[in-house]
Amino acid sequence: MTAADPAPRRGRGRPGYDQAAVVRTAVELFNRKGYDATSIGDLAKELGVTKPAIYHHVTSKEDLLRLALDDALDELTAVVTGAMSDAGSSSAYERLRGVVRRSVEVLVAHQPAVTLLLRVRGNTPVEVEALSRRRWLDDRLAALVRAAAAEGALRDDIPPELVSRLLFGMVNSLVEWYRPEGVFDASAVADAITALAFNGLSR
């Protein structure tokens, strides 16, 4: 390679597959077989390529896991961070409702990656980091709940940390049953979950 030659870039992709396609297929395999039971060889077979072709895009199986979990966590983090930083533009209650609604949209858009995220148990450094980021999200949502209760917009007899986990739990339940080709689209589901969470079922 001469000084004029561009340096090789990991992830540019080979014909037919780029890094995103490799990660998507890896997520499908991890969800189907389990992360521990899936090998790089399994992924290569699924894609119809050699193992070196996989390593053209990623350095290891754990690197694949990190990319997949970041796909789920980065947008959720952006949603919560945005709500926390907009404190002067709207009430905590309005921002809390917005976080719940946007979380539904993120889950629907990244359902396989979120499914994988909800299955990690902290068995690897990447999983430990993902769990730490999930706790951070819970803590920030609890802070919004606390602020909304202080405004008088929410009841204050339920611990904010419990409310946070219940709200995320309701959203996360979508991985078990939601299908994009089903009767309800993402907007309808987001409306329903937000209404149930904040208005209840009473007429």
Side-chain angles (χ1 to χ4, degrees), residues 23 26-43 59-69 115-117 119-128:
V23 173
V27 170
E28 292 170 4
L29 276 177
F30 293 160
N31 284 333
R32 189 193 320 155
K33 299 182 61 173
Y35 173 73
D36 292 334
T38 302
S39 68
I40 292 293
D42 293 329
L43 178 58
T59 60
S60 64
K61 187 174 80 165
E62 194 165 48
D63 191 26
L64 277 168
L65 181 64
R66 177 185 57 78
L67 290 168
L69 297 180
T115 300
L116 181 62
L117 171 65
R119 292 177 179 174
V120 303
R121 293 295 179 266
N123 296 328
T124 68
V126 168
E127 293 178 75
V128 170

Side-chain angles (χ1 to χ4, degrees), residues 39-63:
S39 68
I40 292 293
D42 293 329
L43 178 58
K45 182 177 180 181
E46 187 80 7
L47 290 169
V49 299
T50 63
K51 287 199 289 187
I54 302 296
Y55 290 121
H56 175 75
H57 299 287
V58 295
T59 60
S60 64
K61 187 174 80 165
E62 194 165 48
D63 191 26

Side-chain angles (χ1 to χ4, degrees), residues 14 18 119 172 187:
R14 291 189 173 186
D18 57 10
R119 292 177 179 174
N172 291 340
S187 180

Side-chain angles (χ1 to χ4, degrees), residues 8 19 35 41-42 60 63 65 79 87 102 104 115 130 143 154 158 161 166-167 174-175 182-183 189 193:
Q19 186 186 69
Y35 173 73
D42 293 329
S60 64
D63 191 26
L65 181 64
V79 167
R102 284 286 295 119
V104 174
T115 300
L154 292 182
I158 303 176
E161 294 77 13
L166 291 172
L167 288 173
L174 295 179
V175 303
V183 175
V189 173
I193 287 182

Side-chain angles (χ1 to χ4, degrees), residues 172-185:
N172 291 340
S173 71
L174 295 179
V175 303
E176 302 297 334
W177 62 268
Y178 180 78
R179 298 295 178 267
E181 69 278 6
V183 175
F184 305 107
D185 63 19

Side-chain angles (χ1 to χ4, degrees), residues 142-155:
L144 268 180
V145 171
R146 190 176 294 107
E151 292 172 347
L154 292 182
R155 57 191 296 172

